[in-house]
Amino acid sequence: MSAYVVFIRDETLNGNEMAIYAEKAGEARGDHPITPLAFYGELETLEGPEAEGVVVLEFPDINAAKGWYYSPAYQEAKTHRLKGAKYRVLLVQGVA
């Protein structure tokens, strides 16, 4: 069953750290089965707090999503994301 990792960027703190994150996160993709469904496209908040940007990544299943997220390469990239911006990150299982 498909799984989705949703990144919600609430506030950018350091653009330089985010640039490093972008490079390292791209490299962390490796051969993980990731399908980007939304990537910082036009955004309209219908309810709740405003967000600066949203990314939605699809994976074949929860284990594949966790395999990517907890990989050493992504964890290295994550250190820069945490310095660069405030995010919420969710993992949700799909229905089919």
Side-chain angles (χ1 to χ4, degrees):
M1 192 170 306
S2 293
Y4 304 89
V5 175
V6 181
F7 290 86
I8 303 168
R9 187 176 65 216
D10 292 317
E11 180 184 2
T12 300
L13 304 172
N14 184 313
N16 292 332
E17 287 292 338
M18 290 306 296
I20 295 167
Y21 168 70
E23 181 179 337
K24 290 187 175 288
E27 293 168 0
R29 179 176 182 151
D31 62 354
H32 293 277
I34 303 171
T35 302
L37 299 179
F39 201 83
Y40 297 113
E42 187 174 326
L43 172 65
E44 179 180 351
T45 301
L46 300 177
E47 293 185 25
E50 295 288 327
E52 285 185 358
V54 175
V55 171
V56 180
L57 304 176
E58 181 181 33
F59 294 84
D61 55 41
I62 292 278
N63 289 333
K66 287 181 177 181
W68 167 77
Y69 181 81
Y70 292 112
S71 70
Y74 185 73
Q75 289 300 297
E76 166 63 22
K78 178 182 158 186
T79 64
H80 297 282
R81 178 174 55 80
L82 294 175
K83 294 175 189 175
K86 293 181 182 178
Y87 271 83
R88 290 173 277 158
V89 182
L90 311 166
L91 172 60
V92 61
Q93 186 167 321
V95 294

